[in-house]
Amino acid sequence: MTDLSVVIPVYNEEENLPPLWAELSQVLERLGLAFEVVFVDDGSRDRSAEIIRSFREADARVRLVRLKTNGGETAATDAGFKAARGRRVVVMDADLQNDPGDIPTLLSHLDHWDAATGWRVRRAEGDNLVRRVSSRVANRIRNWVSDEAIQDSGCTFRAFRRECLRGLVLYRGFHRFIPTLLKMRGYRVVEVPVSHRPRRFGRSKYGVLNRAVVSLADLLVIRWMNARLLRYEVVEDVGGDLVRD
Ligand code: UDP
Ligand code: MG
């Protein structure tokens, strides 16, 4: 029985992987849980997959799920969720911007909540001004349009009870809306302060403009889904016990 699966989408992160694994494995070891780490290589063109294979050779708790071509962060996340065998699932970036030291805190909230999503409270340390401002504007617009109250919807450092991921249908770009999608299905989600660090190696896969434009379209879809959500409660089902399929 696996207690915890850590899912990590990876796209051209060769320099970040060794320090990430060193730090992450230490934190997980200290937790004393039966864990697996599922690296999802999203069609990297650098040595990422090879490096993950070398982790696996040294430690059988490492898994590599490799996508044939680059499918995007949501696709990689989805593949990781589907592969995860743990009772609880953590997802984090491969670029060292998330601090593995926050994993125990995220997990501690799962006793009372179905999911815990990171809130990068001291963003100033992690990203430049343009990204911080655009992320603040994006958060405001997202909350307004989707009638949400999430402080930091762009943070993809999260923990879940695995049952909430079953039946979660994602489309490209939807990794940003996972907390909202879960809430729509009746799960309880809490925001938890996490630290955020600068990207030391490699490059961000997004620009300010492409992120803003694409996610605006996604946002309208989320708004529509929320408006059209089937909200009903069955209060009587006379004779239903006779129907078997
Ligand atoms: N990522 C991925 N496929 C992609 C783009 C990104 O798997 O097509 C991964 C990337 O390697 C990282 C995470 O998703 O682990 C977040 O990407 P990034 O750090 O570029 O996003 P940012 O932190 O700039 O929002
Ligand atoms: Mg990043």
Side-chain angles (χ1 to χ4, degrees), residues 93 95 97 131 196 199 204:
D93 291 0
D95 60 1
Q97 291 203 263
R131 295 199 65 174
H196 191 234
R199 197 185 235 283
S204 167

Side-chain angles (χ1 to χ4, degrees), residues 4-185:
L4 173 67
S5 300
V6 180
V7 168
I8 310 182
V10 177
Y11 183 48
N12 297 338
E13 305 281 5
E14 59 182 3
E15 288 167 298
N16 289 310
L17 290 171
L20 170 68
W21 173 236
E23 209 179 336
L24 176 64
S25 52
Q26 262 196 14
V27 169
L28 296 178
E29 211 70 76
R30 258 184 266 130
L31 273 174
L33 299 171
F35 70 85
E36 61 176 6
V37 178
V38 183
F39 289 94
V40 184
D41 179 58
D42 187 15
S44 294
R45 279 182 288 260
D46 65 0
R47 293 180 55 250
S48 292
E50 214 176 297
I51 293 167
I52 297 162
R53 264 186 226 107
S54 76
F55 299 159
R56 165 75 190 192
E57 272 157 34
D59 191 328
R61 294 171 296 188
V62 173
R63 295 172 61 191
L64 165 65
V65 171
R66 189 165 60 83
L67 307 190
K68 191 169 178 184
T69 52
N70 179 239
E73 187 176 344
T74 308
T77 304
D78 189 70
F81 284 168
K82 291 194 168 126
R85 296 177 291 207
R87 220 161 39 81
R88 292 180 286 177
V89 178
V90 163
V91 62
M92 68 188 297
D93 291 0
D95 60 1
L96 294 165
Q97 291 203 263
N98 302 138
D99 179 353
D102 286 321
I103 291 177
T105 319
L106 283 171
L107 289 176
S108 71
H109 287 84
L110 295 185
D111 295 336
H112 303 288
W113 300 83
D114 298 306
T117 185
W119 169 13
R120 296 162 293 180
V121 276
R122 296 176 65 196
R123 191 70 189 277
E125 290 165 12
D127 279 316
N128 67 31
L129 186 68
V130 177
R131 295 199 65 174
R132 271 166 17 228
V133 172
S134 71
S135 146
R136 180 169 300 189
V137 173
N139 271 315
R140 292 250 170 93
I141 297 178
R142 270 177 216 161
N143 282 335
W144 174 53
V145 178
S146 60
D147 196 22
E148 258 290 7
I150 293 181
Q151 308 282 347
D152 186 7
S153 51
C155 182
T156 44
F157 193 11
R158 300 170 172 142
F160 312 90
R161 295 185 188 171
R162 200 188 52 191
E163 62 262 27
C164 23
L165 302 178
R166 212 179 296 135
L168 178 68
V169 180
L170 299 175
Y171 292 84
R172 276 185 84 99
F174 268 29
H175 60 276
R176 300 189 182 90
F177 303 102
I178 290 174
T180 304
L181 293 167
L182 293 181
K183 286 188 196 172
M184 279 190 217
R185 295 166 59 223

